[in-house]
Amino acid sequence: MTTIVPIDAADPAFDQVAELFDDYRAHYGRASSPEATRSWLHAQLTQRRMAARAAIRADQVCGFLTTTIMPASLMLGTAWSIRDLYVVPRDRRRGIARALLDHVVREARAAGALRVSLQTETDNLPARTLYTEAGFQPVTGLELLTLESAPRP
């Protein structure tokens, strides 16, 4: 059985989440840096820039999801953004990612969020399939623009 729990920097499972977060970064081609990842994640959670939930099976963290809450200015409400979602390879295809998604969507709705959004690479077919099966729809008519303001670590 998988249990989804909120994780903060003081949680006993924080170190496991930080380790998985470093694996997640490496999965996307970033150099592994366990201490820097742990420090960064600790700061994000402590300063409430993001929130994290962990999927736990048999006392082991097997996945995590992070969110941010943003103002939805025109609607005078809030919107939740799923920033990161990762399940360890050995535990994939067991419904853990879907459980994390469903949990956060329920939380967002209960908090009165107007929408929950996420983004993924266009070639990430497994993720796109998961998201559309969970009810997420592509947004058309918008363009994602970015401006690099600092060198990447």
Tab-separated table of all heavy atoms in Angstrom, residues 19 54 80 97 118 142-143:
chain	number	residue	atom	x	y	z
A	19	GLU	N	17.296	12.818	-1.505
A	19	GLU	CA	18.090	11.869	-2.300
A	19	GLU	C	17.386	11.565	-3.627
A	19	GLU	O	18.009	11.542	-4.688
A	19	GLU	CB	18.296	10.586	-1.498
A	19	GLU	CG	19.176	9.567	-2.186
A	19	GLU	CD	19.373	8.317	-1.347
A	19	GLU	OE1	19.419	8.417	-0.106
A	19	GLU	OE2	19.488	7.225	-1.955
A	54	ALA	N	5.289	13.090	-0.433
A	54	ALA	CA	6.049	11.868	-0.711
A	54	ALA	C	5.108	10.685	-0.762
A	54	ALA	O	4.121	10.623	-0.023
A	54	ALA	CB	7.107	11.628	0.360
A	80	TRP	N	-2.650	26.231	-8.586
A	80	TRP	CA	-1.552	25.378	-8.147
A	80	TRP	C	-0.781	24.913	-9.363
A	80	TRP	O	-1.371	24.585	-10.398
A	80	TRP	CB	-2.087	24.170	-7.394
A	80	TRP	CG	-2.600	24.469	-6.012
A	80	TRP	CD1	-3.247	25.588	-5.587
A	80	TRP	CD2	-2.521	23.604	-4.884
A	80	TRP	NE1	-3.580	25.473	-4.265
A	80	TRP	CE2	-3.149	24.265	-3.810
A	80	TRP	CE3	-1.998	22.337	-4.684
A	80	TRP	CZ2	-3.247	23.696	-2.538
A	80	TRP	CZ3	-2.108	21.761	-3.421
A	80	TRP	CH2	-2.714	22.447	-2.363
A	97	ALA	N	2.623	7.449	-9.334
A	97	ALA	CA	2.540	8.800	-9.892
A	97	ALA	C	1.088	9.264	-9.931
A	97	ALA	O	0.778	10.410	-9.589
A	97	ALA	CB	3.168	8.847	-11.278
A	118	LEU	N	0.532	21.935	-14.987
A	118	LEU	CA	1.871	21.346	-14.986
A	118	LEU	C	2.433	21.487	-16.386
A	118	LEU	O	1.722	21.839	-17.322
A	118	LEU	CB	1.830	19.875	-14.555
A	118	LEU	CG	0.860	18.933	-15.266
A	118	LEU	CD1	1.420	18.442	-16.584
A	118	LEU	CD2	0.543	17.771	-14.362
A	142	LEU	N	-1.159	29.727	-26.029
A	142	LEU	CA	-0.164	30.338	-25.155
A	142	LEU	C	1.215	29.867	-25.582
A	142	LEU	O	1.376	28.751	-26.076
A	142	LEU	CB	-0.386	29.946	-23.692
A	142	LEU	CG	-1.684	30.394	-23.036
A	142	LEU	CD1	-1.764	29.846	-21.617
A	142	LEU	CD2	-1.805	31.903	-23.023
A	143	GLU	N	2.175	30.686	-25.354
A	143	GLU	CA	3.558	30.343	-25.675
A	143	GLU	C	4.384	30.481	-24.401
A	143	GLU	O	4.259	31.479	-23.686
A	143	GLU	CB	4.082	31.299	-26.758
A	143	GLU	CG	5.408	30.922	-27.343
A	143	GLU	CD	5.330	29.728	-28.284
A	143	GLU	OE1	4.265	29.508	-28.887
A	143	GLU	OE2	6.345	29.021	-28.405
